[in-house]
Each structure stands twice: as C-alpha cells, then as structure tokens.
Amino acid sequence: MTKYKIALMPGDGIGKDVMDAAEIVLEKLALDAEYVHADIGWEFWCKEGEPFPQRTVDLLKTCDCALFAAITSKPKEEAEAELIPELQGQGLIYRSPIVRLRQQFDLYTNLRPCKAFEGNPLNYRDDIDLVVFRENTQGLYAGVEFHPLPADVRMALEKHSANMAAFDNVASEDIALSTRIFTREGCQRIVRRAFEYADQHGYPTVTIVEKPNVIRETSGLMVREARKISAEYPEIDLWETNIDAMAMWLLKNPDDYGVLVSSNMFGDIISDLAAQLVGGLGFASSGNIGDELAVFEPTHGSAPKYAGMYKVNPMAMLLAIKLMLDWLGETAQAAALEQAIAEVIAEGQVRTYDMQGNASTLDVARAVAEKL
Ligand code: NAI
Ligand code: MG
C-alpha cells in the first residue's frame, strides 16, 4: 500500500495540457503515492449527460486528495444542444461539476495564495504575499434561486420584510431571486481556518472582507463571528474592510495585507483581483479543502482556443501541487517545489507565451523538474 492515493482529474481543454505538465513534476517528486485517473467534465456531459459521474464520486471517496485541472461549462441551452441525440429532451440540467464537488464533499475552504515571484515580468508589484480564504459552499453560490418567484415564497417575503413593498407592482414572472444564505457554523469555520493559517505562517493580520453596513444580516453575522474568533488570537490583528473598498486597497497598497477572509462570491472576486496582481491566470492556484478531502487546482478554465497546443503556462497547476504537498504535510517537498518554480521564473529562460516566452507547457514542467 502506498502512503497516499491521489486522483488526477484533467477535465477539458488545456486541463489536459497542464495535467501532463503536472505528471512530469509528480514523477520527479516520487511521492509514495498511487495516482488514479478520474473522469470529469464536458466530454462526460455530452456522452453520458453527467459531467461528474457517480464513479468519480465513489473513487474520490477512496482518495486522500485530488488534483483537478479545468473543465468547460456552458449556459443551459447550449449545454442541452451539445448532448448526444439520445439524451436530448430528457430534462437533463448541466450544473458545474466543480461547484458540485465542493458542495458534495463539503470542501468549505477555498485557499488562494497570491505571492509575487521575483523576476516575474507579470507582477504588478514585487512585494505582494497575501492569501485569500474564501468560503466555498454557502452564500450566493449555494444554488437557492427562483425565477419566476413562487407565490408562497413571495408571500413569506412580504410577510417578513417591509422592504418587499418596493416590488409590489412587479409580476412574479418578472422577479428573479438568488439567495445569500450564511450559517453561523459556516462563518465560524472559514474564519477559524484563516486565523489558524495566519498563526502558522506568521501573518500579522487577518482582514475580513464583507459589507455589513448594507448587507446587514449575512455580512453582519460573519463579521460578528470573526470578532469573537479574533479574541482567541491576540497577536493577530483583525482588520475589517468592505468589499468595494478592498478592491481599491488591493490596487493601492497590496503589500499591507496578509490573510484575507470572505464569503463565497466576494471571496471569488477578491481572489481573482489578487491573483492578477501576481501574474494572473497562469500563476493562480487554489485548494478546495474540507475535513475529509481536498482538491487542488489552477483557477483558470479550459481555455478552448489553446486546447492541446501545449502553449499555456503550467505554473498555476504546479503551484497547486505545492499546495497539495503542504496539505499532505510533505512540507519539505512543498518548499523544494516552490524553490524550483521560483528559480525557473527568476532565471527567465523557460517561459510560456503569457510571459513573453516561447517555451511549451511541457518545457516549463521539465525545467521545474530539473531544478528539483
Ligand atoms: P479561461 O481561464 O479558460 O481562459 C481565459 C483566457 O485566459 C485564455 O484564453 C488565455 O488567454 C488565458 N489563460 C487561461 N489559462 C492560462 C494559462 N494557464 N496560461 C496562460 N494563459 C492562460 O476562461 P474562459 O475563457 O472564460 O473560460 C473557458 C471555459 O473554462 C469556460 O467553459 C468556463 O466555464 C470554464 N472555466 C472553468 C473553470 C474551472 O475549471 N475551474 C474556471 C473558469 C472557467
Ligand atoms: Mg473565480
């Protein structure tokens, strides 16, 4: 028996390109691990009407963690049109497998480190080292949505909120409602993970990024819970910032920030902004972490126009391996991989097109493997 069982889910488009790059580095790392391939993505939606087949769910239950590359998602009507003819008209609904994976396995922490590597020509500034903790299962992405607004839902809203009067003259067919549901436990656990991380990695601040002055109940709950947890960490300062102001501060003084924590949608936005400060999609990696399973991924999508060309930057994928190693407790290997990546970036000899180079995806992976 190997020490670890790790699922590899390349998915679609450039997902396959960057997973090939990952495998070069994994081979060099020579972990005591068994790697198993898992089906996920558009191909399986078209052929089977299910982009996240049950066999993949079952396989993941037997794994310690997984590496996921990227999948293609399309709007409802387009998704229906690409099903094989036998599956059309059966009312199958496409839902993003990565969102389902997060919910099904309760991967409630989305961890997004944004660190500027020295010599990266794409850095906005060279002194950025921040980490975003985004709640990954609740809030606006929980999928509790209505259109048209059902009569009983409407009645309940009218009964409980005087502010619904503003919509009195609007027909229910003309109202769409997406809910933003937070639970106390959901707020507590993401904030706690953020403080633990700050504590373990020596960050002096945790910034809670919400909007409690306007979204009083949900943002308010999260900020209040953050204040309570913060009291357990007297050596770490809790800063409170509104999401809109945070976007501005991140451009103005990105070096001021250490750990940021936010709810699902605000965290999504702020982590993409932060990622762009340190090189963008070619460098942005993330972990989706639960108590039982963790899935590590580059945050970019399947970039169909580059699929199979081995042109895109695999650094985000390789940094996802680094996050996985940290999570597994293989911290020496994680540090070695980060060092190898840093050296390849600093030397500037092997770069993909986004860094004004002409190396291939696999060239970069080989250069990193060689440093290892
Ligand atoms: P995308 O991230 O796939 O690509 C946008 C553009 O960013 C690309 O055309 C390319 O110019 C650049 N890019 C992306 N990854 C890069 C890399 N590693 N190196 C260099 N440049 C890179 O986003 P897009 O085009 O909006 O979506 C394409 C498909 O991917 C859609 O079907 C979308 O739903 C899906 N998607 C999947 C995600 C996931 O699997 N987690 C996340 C985002 C989008
Ligand atoms: Mg995003």
Side-chain angles (χ1 to χ4, degrees), residues 91-224:
L92 293 169
I93 306 239
Y94 182 85
R95 265 195 80 211
S96 163
I98 183 69
V99 175
R100 281 165 56 197
L101 198 144
R102 288 167 182 162
Q103 277 160 6
Q104 183 147 357
F105 286 92
D106 200 21
L107 307 179
Y108 60 88
T109 299
N110 190 286
L111 165 71
R112 193 83 91 89
C114 298
K115 179 172 169 177
F117 283 98
E118 203 183 306
N120 183 352
L122 302 177
N123 285 345
Y124 174 71
R125 293 249 301 258
D126 290 331
D127 52 1
I128 300 167
D129 178 7
L130 56 87
V131 183
V132 181
F133 277 74
R134 160 188 165 199
E135 202 292 320
N136 219 11
T137 54
Q138 307 190 341
L140 256 177
Y141 297 172
V144 183
E145 305 190 278
F146 307 93
H147 181 243
L149 190 60
D152 49 350
V153 175
R154 182 164 194 160
M155 263 162 50
L157 293 174
E158 283 167 353
K159 181 167 168 219
H160 293 288
S161 176
N163 292 337
M164 273 302 286
F167 306 100
D168 272 354
N169 297 324
V170 187
S172 293
E173 305 82 82
D174 297 329
I175 299 181
L177 172 70
S178 302
T179 66
R180 188 175 194 258
I181 302 178
F182 287 25
T183 66
R184 190 184 305 279
E185 196 213 345
C187 294
Q188 285 170 345
R189 62 186 187 174
I190 190 68
V191 171
R192 192 166 288 288
R193 295 293 95 78
F195 271 95
E196 285 167 358
Y197 190 95
D199 190 38
Q200 282 157 15
H201 295 82
Y203 288 95
T205 60
V206 169
T207 304
I208 176 118
V209 187
E210 279 299 317
K211 184 95 183 174
N213 55 332
V214 179
I215 317 175
R216 292 174 190 280
E217 302 310 336
T218 45
S219 286
L221 179 67
M222 190 155 171
V223 171
R224 286 193 300 276

Side-chain angles (χ1 to χ4, degrees), residues 70-73 281 297 299-306 312-313 353:
I71 38 113
T72 296
S73 283
L281 289 173
E297 57 166 328
T299 61
H300 60 72
S302 60
K305 70 178 174 189
Y306 294 123
V312 295
N313 196 341
Y353 82 95

Side-chain angles (χ1 to χ4, degrees), residues 9-16 38-53 55-56 68-84 87-88 92-98 100 301-304 307:
M9 302 191 283
D12 305 306
I14 62 163
K16 294 186 170 43
D39 294 338
I40 196 166
W42 197 248
E43 183 186 338
F44 303 99
W45 162 254
C46 299
K47 286 197 308 210
E48 303 174 21
E50 177 49 270
F52 185 35
R55 60 182 179 279
T56 298
F68 164 75
I71 38 113
T72 296
S73 283
K74 297 186 187 179
K76 217 158 81 176
E77 291 78 13
E78 270 175 72
E80 165 83 21
E82 290 194 27
L83 286 170
I84 55 168
L87 292 174
Q88 292 196 11
L92 293 169
I93 306 239
Y94 182 85
R95 265 195 80 211
S96 163
I98 183 69
R100 281 165 56 197
S302 60

